[in-house]
Amino acid sequence: MKTFFYSIPLLLLLSCKKEKSFADKIILHYDHGEKLSFQQFNEGIDETGSSIIYVGKDTSSINVKYFMGMMDPPPPPPGSYADSTYREDQEMLSRFLYNRFGRIKFSEKPVVFDSLSKQSVEIGYNINDTIPKYVYNLEMGTLKKYKAFPVFVKNISGKKLILHEFKSLPLAVLNDQQKWQILSNDNALICGDSRSQYRYWEFNPNEIMVLSVNFLEGKDKGKFKICFHDYCTEVFLMNYDKSIIERQRNRFELK
């Protein structure tokens, strides 16, 4: 009988162990000695760079380096000349930012994008892990390094998922009205793009996407979700400054 009672805590411990995720085997490589800061409110308005680190199937070694965006940059004007300062800046940026994503496709008619669910994508994240988020400040001409945490998305649908382009993963916070509100770290005006319905990219079966989400500075504790297109993660707790909710230019709530 004693053996039976002693075994109960062990069974409870085993049942409470965290379920293994595809993301557990992914190792991200970066300089752990870098000095990182919190991105301040409105600091990101003049910055360029996406939250995308990697898309593919080979996750044996992934460097924390970001795509500038999903749309490839236009070629330089004919006859343009790059001076030594420009070349040095580009060489520096190439250590932290990829110039070309190369997966955006164009359609002659509006695209029907796939709706996502737990049957089509698996999302993992590590709120206890701090990685650098690199962006380039266009006005100052400087590289910024922010505190962020990694997010991992896997296509488990068994088919190609047709998705629209994006820059970063939105955070949703539970507000005082108990509504999930999309939270931005700025109050910038968001303009629509009439051609966005004609651009798409294909997320292939078993491919993994690695991204990051910036930590928010503050002493308040809130309930958050990370949203990837129309699918959001489970709830987690994170620090932030609650006043940021009132500083949003527009109020967007999840349905």
Side-chain angles (χ1 to χ4, degrees):
M1 184 63 70
K2 288 183 179 180
T3 303
F4 172 75
F5 282 116
Y6 287 155
S7 65
I8 290 177
L10 179 60
L11 289 172
L12 289 173
L13 181 63
L14 291 174
S15 64
C16 292
K17 283 183 69 176
K18 182 183 175 183
E19 204 172 315
K20 285 191 174 182
S21 164
F22 71 93
D24 293 339
K25 296 181 180 179
I26 299 176
I27 299 177
L28 301 178
H29 301 279
Y30 56 93
D31 183 357
H32 291 259
E34 288 185 314
K35 185 177 180 180
L36 308 177
S37 62
F38 288 103
Q39 184 190 56
Q40 300 301 307
F41 189 78
N42 272 346
E43 189 176 0
I45 290 179
D46 294 316
E47 295 171 351
T48 184
S50 75
S51 66
I52 306 168
I53 297 171
Y54 175 81
V55 182
K57 294 182 179 181
D58 182 8
T59 57
S60 56
S61 180
I62 297 178
N63 293 322
V64 176
K65 182 176 176 179
Y66 294 85
F67 289 95
M68 288 283 281
M70 299 189 87
M71 286 290 291
D72 295 334
S80 61
Y81 173 75
D83 61 21
S84 59
T85 301
Y86 177 82
R87 290 195 298 269
E88 288 173 3
D89 288 344
Q90 292 303 305
E91 184 177 346
M92 180 275 293
L93 287 177
S94 67
R95 294 166 46 205
F96 304 97
L97 300 167
Y98 297 107
N99 197 37
R100 187 173 188 272
F101 184 68
R103 297 184 63 146
I104 292 293
K105 298 184 178 182
F106 299 87
S107 172
E108 294 182 356
K109 58 182 180 180
V111 177
V112 178
F113 299 107
D114 282 313
S115 179
L116 303 182
S117 69
K118 64 180 180 180
Q119 282 74 42
S120 57
V121 292
E122 182 180 347
I123 304 179
Y125 55 89
N126 190 349
I127 194 71
N128 296 314
D129 190 10
T130 300
I131 64 172
K133 172 64 168 73
Y134 303 122
V135 294
Y136 184 65
N137 186 289
L138 294 170
E139 183 178 357
M140 304 296 294
T142 56
L143 185 80
K144 296 290 192 72
K145 302 177 182 181
Y146 296 127
K147 295 180 180 181
F149 62 93
V151 180
F152 309 90
V153 183
K154 184 175 183 179
N155 179 357
I156 60 172
S157 69
K159 66 173 186 177
K160 288 183 178 181
L161 295 173
I162 307 301
L163 305 177
H164 55 75
E165 63 175 305
F166 69 101
K167 180 179 179 181
S168 59
L169 299 182
L171 279 169
V173 64
L174 191 65
N175 61 28
D176 289 341
Q177 289 71 45
Q178 298 302 295
K179 300 286 187 180
W180 287 103
Q181 179 180 340
I182 297 298
L183 192 68
S184 299
N185 200 20
D186 58 58
N187 57 5
L189 176 65
I190 301 175
C191 300
D193 183 350
S194 61
R195 298 298 300 174
S196 63
Q197 295 295 313
Y198 296 83
R199 300 192 297 267
Y200 68 99
W201 68 285
E202 296 172 340
F203 193 24
N204 296 319
N206 295 315
E207 276 194 326
I208 292 171
M209 175 178 282
V210 182
L211 314 100
S212 74
V213 171
N214 285 351
F215 282 109
L216 297 173
E217 188 175 23
K219 296 181 180 179
D220 298 313
K221 185 77 74 173
K223 293 182 178 180
F224 285 86
K225 293 180 179 180
I226 305 165
C227 298
F228 180 63
H229 297 278
D230 53 354
Y231 180 58
C232 297
T233 66
E234 297 296 323
V235 179
F236 62 92
L237 296 176
M238 188 170 74
N239 280 29
Y240 77 122
D241 181 349
K242 195 173 180 179
S243 67
I244 193 176
I245 295 178
E246 304 302 324
R247 300 172 74 183
Q248 307 293 290
R249 179 185 290 266
N250 298 303
R251 184 187 180 108
F252 298 103
E253 293 180 347
L254 300 179
K255 296 180 180 180

